[in-house]
Amino acid sequence: MMKQGKRLFMGAVLASVFAAAPALAHEEHSHGAADHANLTDDRKALKLEPSERAMLLIEMRQFLNGIQVMTESLSRDDLKAVANAAKPLGRAAMHEVPDSMKAKLPKEFKQFALAVHGGFDQIAMDAESLGDTKHTQKQVADLLKNCVSCHNTFQIQVLPEKKQ
Ligand code: HEC
Protein backbone atom coordinates (compact mmCIF):
# COMPACT_ATOMS: atom_id res chain seq x y z
CA MET A 1 0.00 0.00 0.00
CA MET A 2 2.73 2.37 1.12
CA LYS A 3 4.90 1.45 -1.86
CA GLN A 4 2.14 2.07 -4.33
CA GLY A 5 1.42 5.41 -2.72
CA LYS A 6 5.04 6.39 -3.17
CA ARG A 7 5.05 5.32 -6.80
CA LEU A 8 1.92 7.29 -7.49
CA PHE A 9 3.49 10.29 -5.85
CA MET A 10 6.65 10.02 -7.99
CA GLY A 11 4.45 9.60 -11.05
CA ALA A 12 2.66 12.80 -10.19
CA VAL A 13 5.95 14.61 -9.62
CA LEU A 14 7.32 13.46 -12.97
CA ALA A 15 4.09 14.34 -14.72
CA SER A 16 4.19 17.84 -13.28
CA VAL A 17 7.86 18.26 -14.22
CA PHE A 18 7.07 17.46 -17.84
CA ALA A 19 3.93 19.56 -17.77
CA ALA A 20 5.96 22.49 -16.49
CA ALA A 21 8.58 22.11 -19.20
CA PRO A 22 6.74 21.17 -22.38
CA ALA A 23 9.55 22.45 -24.60
CA LEU A 24 12.13 20.28 -22.86
CA ALA A 25 9.91 17.24 -22.88
CA HIS A 26 9.42 17.80 -26.59
CA GLU A 27 13.11 18.03 -27.34
CA GLU A 28 14.22 15.15 -25.16
CA HIS A 29 11.88 12.54 -26.52
CA SER A 30 14.56 10.66 -28.41
CA HIS A 31 16.86 8.15 -26.73
CA GLY A 32 20.18 6.66 -27.70
CA ALA A 33 22.68 7.35 -30.44
CA ALA A 34 20.67 5.63 -33.18
CA ASP A 35 17.84 8.13 -32.90
CA HIS A 36 20.17 11.10 -33.08
CA ALA A 37 20.95 10.28 -36.69
CA ASN A 38 17.33 11.10 -37.53
CA LEU A 39 17.09 14.17 -35.38
CA THR A 40 15.97 17.25 -37.28
CA ASP A 41 16.10 20.88 -36.24
CA ASP A 42 12.62 22.14 -37.01
CA ARG A 43 13.08 25.64 -35.65
CA LYS A 44 12.37 28.49 -38.04
CA ALA A 45 15.45 29.46 -40.03
CA LEU A 46 16.94 32.95 -40.01
CA LYS A 47 18.83 33.16 -43.28
CA LEU A 48 21.90 35.23 -42.52
CA GLU A 49 25.24 35.91 -44.17
CA PRO A 50 28.33 34.72 -42.25
CA SER A 51 29.16 38.23 -40.98
CA GLU A 52 25.55 38.72 -39.82
CA ARG A 53 25.63 35.39 -38.04
CA ALA A 54 28.92 36.37 -36.38
CA MET A 55 27.38 39.65 -35.23
CA LEU A 56 24.31 37.94 -33.76
CA LEU A 57 26.43 35.36 -31.94
CA ILE A 58 28.72 38.04 -30.48
CA GLU A 59 25.64 39.71 -29.05
CA MET A 60 24.46 36.38 -27.68
CA ARG A 61 27.75 35.76 -25.90
CA GLN A 62 27.50 39.26 -24.45
CA PHE A 63 24.04 38.34 -23.16
CA LEU A 64 25.35 35.20 -21.50
CA ASN A 65 28.31 37.09 -20.08
CA GLY A 66 25.94 39.75 -18.71
CA ILE A 67 23.70 37.13 -17.12
CA GLN A 68 26.75 35.50 -15.54
CA VAL A 69 27.96 38.79 -14.02
CA MET A 70 24.44 39.71 -12.88
CA THR A 71 23.85 36.34 -11.20
CA GLU A 72 27.18 36.51 -9.45
CA SER A 73 26.55 40.12 -8.34
CA LEU A 74 23.10 39.17 -7.04
CA SER A 75 24.67 36.53 -4.82
CA ARG A 76 26.59 39.37 -3.15
CA ASP A 77 23.56 41.73 -3.05
CA ASP A 78 25.60 44.08 -5.24
CA LEU A 79 22.75 45.76 -7.13
CA LYS A 80 25.03 48.49 -8.48
CA ALA A 81 27.12 45.85 -10.28
CA VAL A 82 23.92 44.26 -11.62
CA ALA A 83 22.86 47.62 -13.08
CA ASN A 84 26.29 48.16 -14.64
CA ALA A 85 26.21 44.76 -16.31
CA ALA A 86 22.61 45.14 -17.55
CA LYS A 87 22.81 48.67 -18.97
CA PRO A 88 24.97 48.01 -22.08
CA LEU A 89 22.59 45.17 -23.05
CA GLY A 90 19.51 47.40 -23.11
CA ARG A 91 17.61 48.90 -26.03
CA ALA A 92 20.48 51.23 -26.93
CA ALA A 93 22.44 48.18 -28.14
CA MET A 94 19.79 47.52 -30.80
CA HIS A 95 20.98 50.51 -32.83
CA GLU A 96 24.17 48.61 -33.65
CA VAL A 97 22.26 46.17 -35.85
CA PRO A 98 22.53 47.28 -39.51
CA ASP A 99 19.25 48.05 -41.31
CA SER A 100 20.04 45.46 -43.99
CA MET A 101 20.09 42.80 -41.29
CA LYS A 102 17.01 44.13 -39.49
CA ALA A 103 15.10 43.75 -42.74
CA LYS A 104 15.79 40.00 -42.72
CA LEU A 105 14.56 39.38 -39.19
CA PRO A 106 10.96 38.18 -38.77
CA LYS A 107 8.57 40.17 -36.59
CA GLU A 108 8.39 37.42 -33.97
CA PHE A 109 12.18 37.45 -33.63
CA LYS A 110 12.20 41.23 -33.18
CA GLN A 111 9.55 40.96 -30.48
CA PHE A 112 11.68 38.50 -28.47
CA ALA A 113 14.71 40.74 -29.00
CA LEU A 114 12.83 43.83 -27.86
CA ALA A 115 11.54 42.01 -24.77
CA VAL A 116 15.08 41.00 -23.82
CA HIS A 117 16.69 44.41 -24.46
CA GLY A 118 13.83 46.18 -22.68
CA GLY A 119 14.15 43.69 -19.84
CA PHE A 120 17.82 44.56 -19.34
CA ASP A 121 16.91 48.28 -19.24
CA GLN A 122 14.20 47.67 -16.65
CA ILE A 123 16.52 45.51 -14.54
CA ALA A 124 19.20 48.22 -14.59
CA MET A 125 16.69 50.92 -13.59
CA ASP A 126 15.10 48.92 -10.78
CA ALA A 127 18.42 47.60 -9.45
CA GLU A 128 19.56 51.20 -9.04
CA SER A 129 16.34 52.73 -7.75
CA LEU A 130 14.99 49.89 -5.55
CA GLY A 131 18.11 47.96 -4.54
CA ASP A 132 15.95 44.90 -3.92
CA THR A 133 17.77 41.62 -4.65
CA LYS A 134 14.66 39.40 -4.68
CA HIS A 135 12.85 41.73 -7.07
CA THR A 136 15.83 41.81 -9.44
CA GLN A 137 16.25 38.03 -9.24
CA LYS A 138 12.64 37.60 -10.33
CA GLN A 139 13.20 40.01 -13.24
CA VAL A 140 16.28 38.05 -14.36
CA ALA A 141 14.29 34.80 -14.18
CA ASP A 142 11.53 36.35 -16.32
CA LEU A 143 14.10 37.72 -18.77
CA LEU A 144 15.60 34.25 -19.22
CA LYS A 145 12.20 32.95 -20.35
CA ASN A 146 12.56 35.14 -23.44
CA CYS A 147 16.04 33.73 -24.16
CA VAL A 148 14.56 30.25 -23.91
CA SER A 149 11.54 31.03 -26.10
CA CYS A 150 13.59 32.60 -28.88
CA HIS A 151 16.09 29.70 -28.86
CA ASN A 152 13.22 27.22 -29.04
CA THR A 153 11.78 29.07 -32.05
CA PHE A 154 14.75 30.08 -34.25
CA GLN A 155 17.98 28.77 -35.70
CA ILE A 156 20.46 30.37 -38.08
CA GLN A 157 20.99 29.17 -41.63
CA VAL A 158 24.10 30.59 -43.24
CA LEU A 159 23.81 32.15 -46.69
CA PRO A 160 26.78 32.85 -48.98
CA GLU A 161 28.34 36.24 -48.15
CA LYS A 162 27.18 39.02 -50.52
CA LYS A 163 29.88 40.61 -52.64
CA GLN A 164 30.45 44.24 -51.63
C1 HEC B 1 15.43 37.16 -30.55
C2 HEC B 1 15.90 35.80 -30.41
C3 HEC B 1 16.91 35.49 -29.34
C4 HEC B 1 16.92 35.97 -28.04
C5 HEC B 1 15.93 36.87 -27.35
C6 HEC B 1 18.09 35.38 -27.44
N1 HEC B 1 18.77 34.60 -28.32
FE1 HEC B 1 20.52 33.65 -27.99
N2 HEC B 1 20.52 32.91 -29.90
C7 HEC B 1 19.52 33.15 -30.84
C8 HEC B 1 19.82 32.41 -32.05
C9 HEC B 1 18.95 32.40 -33.32
C10 HEC B 1 21.03 31.73 -31.83
C11 HEC B 1 21.73 30.78 -32.79
C12 HEC B 1 21.08 29.42 -32.59
C13 HEC B 1 21.34 28.44 -33.70
O1 HEC B 1 21.57 28.81 -34.85
O2 HEC B 1 21.25 27.24 -33.38
C14 HEC B 1 21.45 32.07 -30.46
C15 HEC B 1 22.61 31.63 -29.86
C16 HEC B 1 23.00 31.92 -28.56
C17 HEC B 1 24.22 31.50 -27.94
C18 HEC B 1 25.36 30.74 -28.63
C19 HEC B 1 26.43 31.76 -29.03
C20 HEC B 1 27.56 31.19 -29.89
O3 HEC B 1 28.62 31.81 -29.92
O4 HEC B 1 27.37 30.15 -30.54
C21 HEC B 1 24.21 31.94 -26.65
C22 HEC B 1 25.28 31.75 -25.58
C23 HEC B 1 22.97 32.67 -26.46
N3 HEC B 1 22.25 32.65 -27.65
C24 HEC B 1 22.59 33.28 -25.28
C25 HEC B 1 21.43 34.01 -25.09
C26 HEC B 1 20.98 34.60 -23.83
C27 HEC B 1 21.71 34.45 -22.49
C28 HEC B 1 19.82 35.25 -24.07
C29 HEC B 1 18.95 36.03 -23.14
C30 HEC B 1 19.53 37.05 -22.30
C31 HEC B 1 19.54 35.08 -25.50
N4 HEC B 1 20.53 34.33 -26.07
C32 HEC B 1 18.44 35.62 -26.11
C33 HEC B 1 18.43 33.95 -30.67
C34 HEC B 1 18.07 34.63 -29.50
Side-chain angles (χ1 to χ4, degrees), residues 43 60-61 63-64 109 112-113 116 147 150-151 155-156:
R43 295 174 300 169
M60 291 298 151
R61 295 194 296 276
F63 278 162
L64 185 57
F109 182 92
F112 283 131
V116 164
C147 316
C150 194
H151 293 149
Q155 62 178 311
I156 300 174

Side-chain angles (χ1 to χ4, degrees), residues 41 43 46 53 56-58 60-61 63-64 67 108-110 112-113 116 120 143-144 146-148 150-151 154-157:
D41 189 340
R43 295 174 300 169
L46 304 167
R53 171 179 181 269
L56 185 73
L57 294 182
I58 286 172
M60 291 298 151
R61 295 194 296 276
F63 278 162
L64 185 57
I67 296 285
E108 194 185 357
F109 182 92
K110 287 182 194 153
F112 283 131
V116 164
F120 279 117
L143 180 81
L144 286 171
N146 286 306
C147 316
V148 171
C150 194
H151 293 149
F154 293 103
Q155 62 178 311
I156 300 174
Q157 254 176 31

Side-chain angles (χ1 to χ4, degrees), residues 83-95:
N84 286 341
K87 251 181 230 164
L89 304 172
R91 266 170 302 218
M94 294 176 78
H95 299 306

Side-chain angles (χ1 to χ4, degrees), residues 26-46:
H26 171 74
E27 280 179 3
E28 309 235 327
H29 63 170
S30 84
H31 309 277
D35 286 348
H36 288 159
N38 300 321
L39 212 53
T40 55
D41 189 340
D42 297 329
R43 295 174 300 169
K44 292 173 197 166
L46 304 167

